[in-house]
Amino acid sequence: MKIAMVLRKDEYTREVEQLVRKKLLQSGTYQFVTDPAADPDLVLSIGGDGTFLEAVHQYGFAPHYVGIHTGHLGFYADWRPDEIDQFVQALDEGNPVIVEYPTAECQIHTADGKTHTEWVINEIVLRNASLSTLVVSVFINGKEFETFRGDGLIVSTPSGSTAYNKAVDGAIVHPSIEAIQLSEIASINNRMYRTINSSLVLPRHHEIELIVMNPQIMIGLDREQDVWKGVRSITCRVGSRKVKFARYKQLSFWERVRKSFISE
Ligand code: NAD
């Protein structure tokens, strides 16, 4: 089995990585690769959720992913550093359950006529590049829905619904549901301006189009964030491809939610 590793850059993570590498090499059937072109079968992320996001953007849709968290329980990482022996044993035994998580796909259309296609596993975030109001006309399936004025908009995936989306009171969506969710960040609602002021969950094949009125905006794509000039519109839908997780131990999505937000 070809394994690639993506690590958070800290001393403790490096120590955990050395130990995992040593134990896997002792079992003898693993080859370590460092390049997406080497087509790893498994990508092991060691760190936090951010490390996991980095891993999936680096290695894409082909491999299976598994995570060891070196901080608090991560949403995308199943294993603790004190479980390395069990982890290596589970890998030796094989037969993981493969769980597929939906992505969101978006096309960013700019004033120079270009279209940039991006995908995310957590969310795309739109904010104004300055502190002034973001103004966006929201179209759903080609029909005008509302004009949003406020701090920002989030289009999240089901697995991203527990991240930024949750912080703005969006719903938590089980990743077996192929959907995207549009959530508001601090919308202006008064006698002049009105938005729905609730999160909207849209199924596969429905499309959100965001017509941007600001000359420059901040766009966040999972971990990446950039100021974009001359964005005309952004269209978002459920992604055509999914990210594949190798689950070597059972921890249901709802248990993960409880352990992360209520109590261990
Ligand atoms: P970071 O280190 O600041 O991470 C923020 C937190 O988000 C961490 O606690 C991480 O564990 C958690 N997180 C990430 N993905 C998650 C998920 N799918 N479910 C539950 N929690 C999740 O930043 P980073 O490592 O660069 O991660 C980027 C992510 O941070 C973004 O995708 C966004 O979702 C999240 N974020 C959250 C807020 C907020 O909650 N107000 C604000 C900005 C960004």
Side-chain angles (χ1 to χ4, degrees), residues 138 140 145-153 168-171 181-190 193-201:
V138 178
I140 296 179
F145 185 77
E146 65 181 14
T147 297
F148 171 88
R149 287 180 177 79
D151 281 8
L153 286 167
V168 297
D169 287 337
Q181 180 169 183
L182 177 69
S183 298
E184 304 178 352
I185 309 171
S187 55
I188 300 175
N189 270 294
N190 54 30
Y193 305 129
R194 184 135 307 277
T195 65
I196 189 77
N197 206 15
S198 297
S199 287
L200 306 177
V201 179

Side-chain angles (χ1 to χ4, degrees), residues 49-50 53 72 75-76 122-123 159-160 162-164 167 222-223 261:
D49 287 322
L53 297 175
H72 61 88
F75 243 80
Y76 290 117
N122 259 3
E123 75 283 286
S159 61
T162 47
Y164 201 170
D222 290 339
R223 280 203 112 174
F261 297 110

